[in-house]
């Protein structure tokens, strides 16, 4: 156990699930913190808040000092100080008292911006003219012409004077499209692909920055570069409407607030005083790539020393159909999160150089090069190589994924694309002249969610699978959880996310990410309550006047993910916010299917998507998911104080209908597929007497498939958990470690560094699967990760103690795994679990954070001095397990 001398400390401060919010969505933001040092109990807390970081460092909270609040086991609270002002940056800190009544030091200060209300915004949306006031020029060839009709990036600048040194200066910025922001030549922030993707016809997020130290007395220059991004660039797979889904050109919204020591203020906004022109970014598009002509650079364009020539006035515009709501970001910004060096270099049959970075990722290449002026360098991106060693790009469909750089010829040049990204492991490089001095690295980007978990085992293939799952999540969590980052699609498909969400939460803190994306899903909900297949919705089917309605398991995703969110984070606020949209969806399903079978209103009705086995009966899948929703609605209602009886009664009625409709007189389920039994057992759809029969039949189907899985996106989520609980842990590990087709190990044996979209994305006999749909970075089949964490590492939630205040620890111990070492940063503290097997004995070390308990259930054939089932409290425990039965 932890020593009483282990003094705790407070860390991981959060406000509204964010490290530093750009503004507030509520007058009473929610604060959370974690405790390290693992004392058994925390008995009290105190928050201080101030506009001065120095005051917080001194332990002063002049804005709010809660004083000591006796509240055992509490790690979060809402703001309870005076009304927060707009346009402020608030610093805060937390201290706690442990079970020995020892006060911790205050944690290092964190901060949040209170942001602006709609009434505070005084800026205009500004953009480069479609047609200048002087009229249209005669068409002629320019450097900015391209076959994609992609727009060059817009450069904008505004000069203004500052009278003295300000005491504070905050800038608030957003774009319809993408932006980079500069002040006096300095890049502001490290965000990429900002402000992110939403339905820009409804809302767009803004970011907040403290720029006090960048202002100087006298002339100053604010600069911005605008790209098309999701707003007007090419996104999605419909080439008849490749771009302009929200508008025809990017626009900027900005407000700079400067305050002097005497109380005077200065406000610089996006208005008609700005100037614009085109520059070296000839175009930058998600699917086409970026072309950058360094000969067109304008050194110092964003400084006061620059003398603008051929700059034009901006146009103040009114976005159609109406201006979106400006709101602070709900999730973390996207950033560059990793840089990878070249692992291998080869030459393709066409003579181009091939660079292998050893990892499939989403991002771009950073290039340093020295070459003669005018040298044109082309960088083509691919996930795989073909049999001849050339880039395999057919699976990209209409995504060109090529960056072009033209050298200015003056020394070593740096190139990193601004407003595009690619899915790739390999880059092919060709140049119009020799490159004597060349260096490449791959830059991975994602919404920068805190990494919360790490896990390793004694099985190399399993470790690679864990890495593949993590990198597929990293490559697809960019503003929304996309299906793939490489081809002409990149949508936020909802079923892919819902089967993966429990896995995602182990690797990263996805609390803010879901808060943001849940709003996208609600924005895409139809007036009669139908959730969409994807969110944001518009690019999926640009010819519909309404969003494409969701199929079973797709439209159902918000309810499922909300419950997973609650069990992981104990956050009821999201459940409260989404309750009425959830009811609207459930009401719509019931109106379509009054007889209790989900046959109508199934829309695209995808079924067990990409199953490699016999197709599962879709009415069975659809009804199974409906029952699951009814169960979850009953649980959610109970948590948030709503009546639950309607939902429990609905679930009971639907279960009766399910059994009567799909359980045959032969004692099988209609369709008789692995997924049918996985859903029936995973969702508890059958009465107890029928469950052993269903499990036996599932085992027989796996045996008939020579021990292989035969599932698609929906079945795979339940494969390992159901097989483990209803057949045996050994059989679950058999499936997990299998290396012949179809299996996770098969793709790894053939070079996978991320999760494939198809089990047969490539096979020795068939080569590459259909170019119509064959991503090699697609996280859905990585849903097995939750079982790896929950059962191999033994770190599982218990709905009776959400937020990991109570754990279920039911380890699967297998000699083929050898050992497991894992830690997971729960909202209030770190959970550690590590076991190692030596013959018939296992040493298992568990550390539970403060105010946490666990219910341990050892697998059959294993025992500990404490027994086979026992409880643990906070602290470190060294358990010594032994086989109680040989061969168990």
């Amino acid at each position: 156990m932890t020593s009483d001398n282990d003094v705790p400390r407070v860390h991981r401060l959060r406000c509204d699930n964010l490290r530093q919010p750009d503004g507030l969505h509520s007058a009473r933001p929610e604060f959370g913190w974690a405790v390290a040092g693992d004392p058994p109990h925390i008995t009290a807390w105190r928050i201080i808040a101030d506009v001065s970081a120095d005051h917080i460092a001194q332990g002063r909270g002049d804005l709010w000092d809660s004083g000591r609040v006796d509240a055992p086991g509490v790690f979060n609270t809402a703001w309870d100080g005076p009304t927060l002002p707009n346009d402020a940056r608030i610093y805060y800190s937390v201290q706690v008292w442990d079970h020995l009544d020892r006060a911790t030091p205050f944690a290092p200060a964190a901060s949040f911006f209170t942001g602006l209300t709609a009434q505070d915004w005084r800026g205009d949306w500004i953009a480069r003219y479609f047609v200048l006031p002087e009229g249209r020029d005669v068409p002629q060839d320019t450097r900015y012409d391209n076959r994609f009709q992609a727009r060059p990036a817009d450069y904008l600048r505004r000069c203004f004077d500052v009278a003295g040194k300000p005491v504070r200066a905050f800038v608030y910025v957003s774009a319809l499209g993408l932006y980079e922001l500069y002040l006096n030549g300095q890049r502001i922030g490290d965000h990429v692909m900002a402000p992110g993707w939403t339905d820009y016809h409804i809302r767009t997020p803004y970011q907040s920055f403290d720029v006090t130290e960048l202002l100087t007395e006298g002339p100053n220059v604010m600069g911005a570069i605008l790209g098309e991004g999701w707003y007007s660039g090419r996104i999605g797979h419909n080439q008849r409407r490749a771009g302009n889904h929200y508008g025809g050109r990017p626009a900027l919204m900005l407000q700079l607030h400067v305050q002097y020591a005497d109380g005077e203020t200065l406000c610089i906004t996006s208005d008609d005083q700005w100037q614009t022109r085109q520059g070296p970014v000839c175009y930058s598009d998600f699917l086409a790539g970026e072309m950058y002509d360094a000969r067109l650079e304008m050194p110092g364009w964003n400084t006061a020393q620059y003398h603008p020539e051929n700059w034009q006035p901006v146009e103040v515009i009114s976005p159609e159909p109406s201006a979106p709501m400006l709101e602070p970001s709900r999730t973390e910004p996207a950033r560059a999160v990793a840089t990878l060096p070249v692992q291998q270099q080869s030459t393709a049959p066409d003579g181009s150089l091939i660079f292998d970075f050893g990892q499939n990722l989403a991002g771009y290449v950073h290039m340093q090069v020295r070459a003669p002026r005018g040298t044109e360098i082309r960088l083509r991106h691919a996930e795989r190589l073909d049999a001849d060693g050339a880039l395999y790009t057919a699976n990209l469909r209409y995504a060109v994924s090529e960056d072009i750089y033209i050298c200015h010829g003056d020394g070593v040049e740096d190139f990193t694309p601004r407003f595009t990204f690619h899915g790739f492991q390999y880059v092919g490089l060709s140049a119009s002249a020799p490159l004597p001095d060349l260096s490449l690295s791959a830059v991975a980007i994602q919404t920068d969610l805190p990494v919360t978990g790490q896990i390793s085992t004694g099985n190399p293939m399993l470790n690679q699978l864990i890495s593949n799952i993590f990198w597929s999540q990293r490559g697809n969590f960019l503003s929304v959880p996309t299906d793939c980052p490489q081809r002409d699609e990149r949508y936020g498909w909802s079923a892919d996310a819902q089967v993966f969400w429990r896995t995602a939460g182990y690797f990263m803190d996805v609390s803010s990410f879901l808060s943001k994306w849940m709003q996208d899903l609600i924005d895409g909900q139809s007036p009669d309550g139908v959730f969409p297949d994807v969110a944001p919705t518009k690019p999926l089917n640009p010819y519909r006047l309404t969003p494409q309605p969701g199929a079973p398991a797709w439209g159902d995703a918000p309810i499922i993910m909300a419950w997973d969110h609650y069990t992981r984070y104990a956050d009821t606020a999201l459940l409260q916010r989404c309750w009425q949209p959830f009811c609207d969806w459930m009401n719509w399903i019931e109106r379509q299917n009054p007889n209790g079978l989900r046959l109508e209103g199934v829309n695209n009705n995808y079924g067990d998507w990409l199953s490699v086995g016999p197709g599962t009966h879709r009415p069975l899948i659809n009804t199974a998911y409906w029952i699951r929703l009814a169960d979850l609605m009953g649980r959610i209602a109970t948590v948030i104080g709503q009546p639950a009886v309607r939902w429990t009664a609905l679930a009971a009625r639907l279960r009766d209908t399910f059994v009567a409709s799909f359980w045959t007189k032969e004692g099988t389920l209609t369709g008789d597929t692995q997924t049918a039994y996985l859903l029936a057992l995973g969702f508890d759809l059958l009465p107890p007497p029928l469950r052993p029969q269903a499990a036996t039949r599932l085992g027989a189907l796996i045996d008939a498939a020579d021990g292989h899985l035969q599932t698609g996106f929906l079945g795979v989520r339940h494969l390992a958990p159901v097989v483990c609980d209803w057949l045996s842990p050994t059989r679950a590990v058999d499936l997990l470690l299998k290396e012949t087709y179809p299996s996770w190990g098969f793709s790894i044996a053939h070079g996978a560094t991320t999760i494939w979209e198809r089990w047969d994305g490539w096979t020795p006999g068939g080569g590459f699967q259909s170019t119509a749909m064959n991503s090699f970075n697609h996280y859905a089949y990585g849903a097995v990760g939750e079982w790896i964490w929950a059962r191999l590492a033994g770190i599982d939630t218990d709905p009776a103690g959400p937020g990991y205040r109570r754990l279920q620890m039911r380890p699967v111990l297998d000699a083929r795994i050898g050992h497991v070492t894992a830690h997971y940063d729960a909202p209030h503290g770190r959970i550690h679990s590590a076991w190692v097997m030596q013959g018939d004995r296992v040493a298992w070390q568990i550390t539970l954070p403060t105010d946490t308990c666990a219910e341990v259930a050892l697998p059959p054939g294993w025992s500990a001095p404490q027994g086979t089932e026992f409880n643990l409290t906070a602290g470190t425990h060294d358990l010594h397990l032994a086989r109680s039965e040989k061969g168990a």
Side-chain angles (χ1 to χ4, degrees):
M1 297 294 293
T2 300
S3 167
D4 283 345
N5 293 323
D6 189 6
V7 178
R9 63 181 177 87
V10 180
H11 66 135
R12 282 200 284 129
L13 302 186
R14 305 175 300 282
C15 176
D16 286 345
N17 296 320
L18 295 168
R19 287 171 285 196
Q20 181 178 283
D22 289 310
L24 302 179
H25 295 272
S26 164
R28 299 186 69 223
E30 185 81 15
F31 298 92
W33 57 89
V35 172
D38 309 316
H41 303 292
I42 292 299
T43 59
W45 56 265
R46 178 189 177 195
I47 291 183
I48 56 173
D50 203 288
V51 295
S52 166
D54 291 338
H55 287 179
I56 296 297
Q58 298 163 15
R60 285 175 52 189
D62 292 351
L63 182 60
W64 179 40
D65 186 339
S66 68
R68 173 174 171 152
V69 178
D70 291 320
V74 170
F75 297 85
N76 61 282
T77 191
W79 178 267
D80 197 27
T83 301
L84 285 162
N86 299 333
D87 184 32
R89 184 177 185 180
I90 309 299
Y91 297 88
Y92 69 98
S93 185
V94 176
Q95 70 175 163
V96 300
W97 283 260
D98 70 2
H99 62 298
L100 300 176
D101 207 35
R102 297 175 299 185
T104 67
F106 278 104
S111 69
F112 61 93
F113 290 93
T114 58
L116 304 179
T117 67
Q119 294 72 32
D120 294 327
W121 283 96
R122 290 184 272 166
D124 298 309
W125 287 105
I126 58 173
R128 179 164 56 85
Y129 273 91
F130 274 134
V131 179
L132 285 169
E134 306 88 68
R136 184 180 293 276
D137 290 334
V138 175
Q140 53 189 326
D141 294 338
T142 74
R143 291 186 178 92
Y144 301 108
D145 294 335
N146 60 83
R147 60 193 172 99
F148 316 110
Q149 297 186 4
R151 288 170 57 87
D154 299 331
Y155 287 70
L156 293 83
R157 72 190 305 270
R158 166 79 148 84
C159 190
F160 59 96
D161 287 326
V162 171
K165 182 64 177 173
V167 294
R168 64 154 219 169
F170 300 158
V171 63
Y172 305 94
V173 59
S174 185
L176 301 175
L178 304 176
Y179 74 84
E180 281 188 0
L181 191 63
Y182 297 84
L183 180 56
N184 294 328
Q186 297 296 309
R187 171 83 185 276
I188 298 175
D190 57 359
H191 303 11
V192 299
M193 309 305 157
W197 188 11
T198 54
D199 185 336
Y200 300 105
H201 289 169
I202 298 175
R203 71 186 71 243
T204 187
Y206 66 82
Q207 282 79 44
S208 309
F209 300 98
D210 187 333
V211 294
T212 308
E213 299 305 317
L214 295 180
L215 288 173
T216 60
E217 186 172 1
N220 291 257
V221 168
M222 183 72 72
I225 309 175
L226 296 182
E228 296 198 83
W230 295 280
Y231 182 73
S232 59
R234 290 157 54 92
I235 51 174
H237 65 269
N238 193 320
Q239 294 307 302
R240 297 179 65 187
R241 175 69 182 279
N244 294 342
H245 292 288
Y246 301 97
R249 54 179 164 166
L252 177 73
M253 174 68 75
L254 179 142
Q255 205 151 298
L256 171 65
H257 293 183
V258 181
Q259 181 178 333
Y260 300 106
D262 61 3
E264 291 294 315
T265 61
L266 170 68
C267 183
I268 303 297
T269 68
S270 46
D271 57 18
D272 59 6
Q273 299 302 301
W274 289 64
Q275 295 176 299
T276 182
R277 67 162 293 172
Q278 299 161 353
V281 181
C282 299
Y283 62 81
S284 194
D285 179 271
F286 285 154
L287 302 186
E290 178 167 307
M291 179 177 178
Y292 187 95
D293 189 340
R295 298 169 299 180
L296 303 178
E297 289 180 343
M298 305 169 289
W301 68 272
N302 47 18
T303 67
Q305 292 73 39
Y306 178 78
H307 298 289
E309 296 181 3
N310 300 319
W311 286 68
Q312 305 159 349
V314 297
E315 181 180 11
V316 173
I317 67 169
S318 297
E320 295 182 352
S322 61
M325 178 194 317
L326 283 161
E327 65 172 25
S329 299
R330 293 179 183 269
T331 191
E332 302 285 352
R335 293 186 174 96
V337 293
T339 302
L340 286 71
V342 173
Q343 297 297 313
Q344 295 186 33
Q345 181 177 332
S346 60
T347 303
D350 65 359
S352 61
L353 298 177
I354 302 292
F355 299 89
D356 177 3
F357 293 98
Q359 175 63 59
N360 200 3
L361 57 91
Y364 34 71
V365 166
H366 171 226
M367 179 175 67
Q368 291 183 309
V369 65
R370 186 194 304 269
R373 183 177 179 83
T375 301
E376 182 176 288
I377 303 169
R378 292 178 177 263
L379 300 167
R380 299 172 59 223
H381 303 75
E383 297 181 287
R384 305 278 291 179
L385 300 181
D386 65 19
D388 297 324
L391 297 179
Y392 177 71
T393 58
N395 69 319
L396 303 183
R397 301 191 305 214
Y398 286 96
V400 178
S401 295
E402 179 182 65
D403 296 333
I404 302 171
Y405 181 80
I406 302 173
C407 299
H408 57 59
D410 184 15
V412 176
E413 306 177 40
D414 274 272
F415 170 62
T416 304
R418 280 185 167 83
F419 302 129
T420 189
F421 69 95
H422 314 286
F424 67 98
Q425 178 174 331
Y426 301 90
V427 168
L429 183 148
S430 59
S432 62
L435 306 177
D437 193 355
L438 174 70
S439 174
L440 300 181
S441 56
V443 180
I445 67 171
Q446 70 163 106
T447 296
D448 189 16
L449 306 176
V451 173
T452 50
Q454 292 186 349
I455 182 170
S456 63
T457 76
N459 186 288
M461 190 282 286
L462 181 54
N463 288 340
Q464 185 62 54
L465 173 58
I466 292 166
S467 175
N468 290 7
I469 296 169
F470 174 81
W471 276 95
S472 283
Q473 180 173 347
R474 167 166 278 178
N476 282 289
F477 275 36
L478 181 61
S479 195
V480 303
T482 57
D483 58 329
C484 58
Q486 73 296 97
R487 67 183 179 221
D488 59 343
E489 189 163 352
R490 314 184 192 190
Y491 295 137
W493 284 100
S494 49
D496 303 45
Q498 65 94 351
V499 300
F500 184 71
W501 211 252
R502 278 178 52 84
T503 296
Y506 280 110
F507 287 107
M508 301 174 192
D509 181 347
V510 297
S511 56
S512 68
F513 199 59
L514 183 62
S515 178
K516 183 269 180 191
W517 194 49
M518 192 69 80
Q519 188 61 58
D520 294 333
L521 288 159
I522 292 172
D523 286 345
Q525 191 174 23
S526 70
D528 53 359
V530 181
F531 278 118
D533 275 337
V534 306
T537 63
K538 198 164 185 63
L540 177 59
N541 192 334
Y543 308 108
R544 291 183 59 98
L545 297 179
T546 57
Q548 179 168 302
W554 275 254
D556 301 338
I559 296 175
I560 297 169
M561 291 188 297
W563 180 252
D564 291 341
H565 174 91
Y566 170 71
T567 59
R568 184 173 295 279
Y569 300 110
D571 178 6
T572 59
L574 185 134
L575 300 182
Q576 294 277 9
R577 173 159 64 98
C578 300
W579 176 249
Q580 190 55 54
F582 292 170
C583 291
D584 294 343
W585 173 237
M586 294 296 290
N587 292 340
W588 184 84
I589 297 172
E590 194 165 8
R591 288 197 301 270
Q592 308 303 308
N593 301 282
N595 66 353
L597 284 178
R598 197 174 180 184
L599 306 176
E600 303 298 329
V602 293
N603 302 311
N604 280 333
N605 203 14
Y606 302 103
D608 191 22
W609 190 247
L610 292 180
S611 172
V612 291
T616 301
H617 189 52
R618 296 192 184 192
L620 181 152
I621 293 174
N622 304 344
T623 305
Y625 263 91
W626 190 10
I627 299 170
R628 178 62 173 164
L629 297 189
D631 285 341
L632 295 183
M633 288 293 284
R635 296 179 190 178
I636 293 171
T638 299
V639 168
I640 64 174
Q642 295 286 340
V645 63
R646 174 193 169 182
W647 308 110
T648 55
L650 175 64
R653 177 169 69 89
L654 296 180
R655 276 184 168 81
D656 290 343
T657 303
F658 182 91
V659 174
S661 302
F662 302 122
W663 188 261
T664 70
K665 61 183 179 181
E666 291 81 16
T668 62
L669 284 168
T670 302
D672 198 35
T673 65
Q674 289 184 18
T675 291
Y677 297 101
L678 291 170
L679 294 180
L681 294 168
F683 289 161
D684 268 341
L685 305 182
L686 301 174
L690 299 183
R691 295 172 191 172
Q693 289 179 256
T696 298
R697 184 57 188 155
L698 172 62
L701 290 174
I702 294 173
D703 290 340
D706 195 25
H708 290 91
L709 57 85
Q710 289 187 325
T711 60
F713 277 21
L714 304 185
V716 74
R717 150 76 176 81
H718 304 280
L719 184 68
V722 169
V723 169
C724 182
D725 288 345
W726 287 98
L727 298 178
S728 74
T730 298
R731 296 197 68 174
V733 176
D734 289 344
L735 284 164
L736 180 68
L737 299 183
K738 209 159 198 68
E739 297 189 18
T740 51
Y741 171 80
S743 67
W744 291 280
F746 173 80
S747 65
I748 290 170
H750 293 93
T753 61
T754 43
I755 300 296
W756 291 0
E757 179 178 24
R758 295 176 179 261
W759 297 114
D760 57 350
W762 183 90
T763 61
F768 290 105
Q769 244 286 3
S770 168
T771 59
M773 190 177 66
N774 194 22
S775 161
F776 292 97
N777 190 350
H778 211 101
Y779 56 67
Y781 285 145
V784 70
E786 70 168 272
W787 186 80
I788 295 171
W789 276 96
R791 301 304 301 275
L792 291 187
I795 301 174
D796 198 5
T797 56
D798 186 338
Y804 289 91
R805 303 300 292 276
R806 181 178 179 86
L807 278 73
Q808 298 181 78
M809 306 194 81
R810 300 168 294 157
V812 169
L813 308 173
D814 193 294
R816 292 168 292 178
I817 306 299
H819 66 82
V820 172
T821 300
H823 70 253
Y824 170 67
D825 289 328
H828 64 291
R830 173 166 290 188
I831 300 164
H832 171 80
S833 174
W835 60 261
V836 59
M837 179 179 291
Q838 294 182 332
D840 290 339
R841 296 189 175 277
V842 166
W844 185 16
Q845 185 179 81
I846 298 168
T847 299
L848 302 178
T850 303
D851 290 291
T852 301
C853 62
E855 184 180 86
V856 178
L858 300 181
W862 290 90
S863 63
Q866 296 91 332
T868 58
E869 295 185 4
F870 49 90
N871 293 323
L872 298 176
T873 57
T876 297
H877 308 267
D878 290 302
L879 305 180
H880 300 280
L881 316 182
R883 288 190 191 271
S884 55
E885 301 173 18
K886 285 290 185 181

